[in-house]
Amino acid sequence: MKKYFIFGLAVLFGTVLFMGSMPADTQAKVTYVTIGTGGVTGIYYPTGGAISKIVNKKRKQYNLRVTVESTGGSVFNVNAVMAGDLEFGVVQSDRQYQAWNGIKDWKDKGKQKDLRAICSFHPESIVLVAGDDTGIEKFMDLKGKHVIIGNPGSGQRGNSIDALTACGIDWQKDMRAEGIKAAESAKMLQDGRVDAFFYTVGHPNGSIKEATAGKRKVHFVPVEGACIDKLVAKWPYYAKAYIPVKFYPMARNKKDVNTFAVKATFVTSAKVPDDVVYAITKEVFDNLEDFKKLHPAYGVLTKKNMLEALSAPIHPGAMKYYKEVGLK
Ligand code: GLU
């Protein structure tokens, strides 16, 4: 025991001596920031990982450490960033718009005035996967079925409720809706415990691969029709899109599937210091080619389109960088 104590003292003493001999700048206070993402089988989680990987390479220069947290998704992230529990979040563009304008999930809380945008990432489409044995071939066939519409806190929950409501399906009465997390949805479908699930996600995605490559034969159901056209026309954040089926060769569909889409965006709070946001923005944009190698969904990213689909004001730290490089 005594031996350990003496050893401990020696280590402590040594550390103090060592720190005393370090140049002043290496002792500067380290800032820790966390990015809220989504389920571990989504693309938000590796997106947070990609950002932290790029930025943490320069940790000595910025005295900054970026960590990543798996969360329930977009709505959770907005609320956690606004509460100061997280500094950054990956958030669907529709959720950013709704939070900034104080509508939908933020109707009671009001406008999230401190929400700030940084940039956007990959497009995410509203994916509906159903078992071949369920008889769900068209969107309207969801009536009476057992369907995962997304967990509370996720981005997809709002998209599936929007689509169902627009097409006159009452998700609380006309079907058996489940609020299960995306990370568990593929297995639930494969195990025959649900008929279908919704997920708003970029491509290629691991969960969708898992859902389409199992024993139970499944297919993508087109999210289309006059009711969807009306929905997309109503909201600035929705756009028509398709699911590229080449990524999911085991799904029954042989042609790309019509649906609508949003974009993944990156947000923070007005309370997060400019130099922190500047460092993260600069490292992601200056190293965009390396960043893009970290997930195939980023293939379409350009510095220009990464400034699209933002509704909240751009954080001054990010704006400083965009002005420096002539992007704004
Ligand atoms: N779009 C989903 C959400 O907002 C997350 C998708 C992902 O993790 O890639 O909850």
Side-chain angles (χ1 to χ4, degrees), residues 38-39 42-45 72-74 92 122 124 153-156 199-201:
I43 302 182
Y44 286 10
Y45 189 65
S74 289
Q92 286 179 199
H122 56 283
E124 303 185 85
S154 72
Q156 50 269 10
Y199 195 13
T200 303
V201 74

Side-chain angles (χ1 to χ4, degrees), residues 62-219:
Y62 296 119
N63 282 310
L64 184 62
R65 303 281 187 286
V66 181
T67 58
V68 175
E69 199 173 294
S70 168
T71 72
S74 289
V75 175
F76 178 94
N77 295 342
V78 168
N79 293 335
V81 169
M82 290 299 87
D85 295 335
L86 296 172
E87 287 73 29
F88 297 92
V90 188
V91 167
Q92 286 179 199
S93 50
D94 51 328
R95 296 316 202 154
Q96 186 186 138
Y97 179 100
Q98 293 162 1
W100 173 247
N101 289 291
I103 59 168
K104 302 263 180 178
D105 278 72
W106 293 273
K107 204 169 156 228
D108 295 337
K109 287 187 191 162
K111 291 183 179 214
Q112 301 301 296
K113 291 197 188 84
D114 277 345
L115 189 64
R116 293 292 177 271
I118 299 173
C119 64
S120 61
F121 296 114
H122 56 283
E124 303 185 85
S125 46
I126 284 72
V127 182
L128 174 59
V129 197
D132 286 359
D133 52 5
T134 59
I136 306 170
E137 295 297 325
K138 298 183 308 304
F139 194 76
M140 294 310 285
D141 297 333
L142 286 173
K143 272 192 179 170
K145 300 294 183 188
H146 189 190
V147 185
I148 298 174
I149 61 166
N151 58 292
S154 72
Q156 50 269 10
R157 191 175 175 91
N159 304 133
S160 49
I161 291 176
D162 270 359
L164 291 161
T165 310
C167 296
I169 303 173
D170 184 332
W171 65 276
Q172 283 161 309
K173 286 195 200 130
D174 300 336
M175 60 195 281
R176 200 173 140 207
E178 296 280 1
I180 289 163
K181 283 186 179 172
E184 286 148 40
S185 300
K187 195 169 183 316
M188 293 278 287
L189 181 69
Q190 275 302 323
D191 289 351
R193 286 151 73 198
V194 291
D195 296 319
F197 74 85
F198 280 95
Y199 195 13
T200 303
V201 74
H203 305 284
N205 168 250
S207 270
I208 307 290
K209 275 194 183 157
E210 186 191 339
T212 52
K215 245 188 173 160
R216 187 182 192 188
K217 296 293 163 217
V218 306
H219 59 278

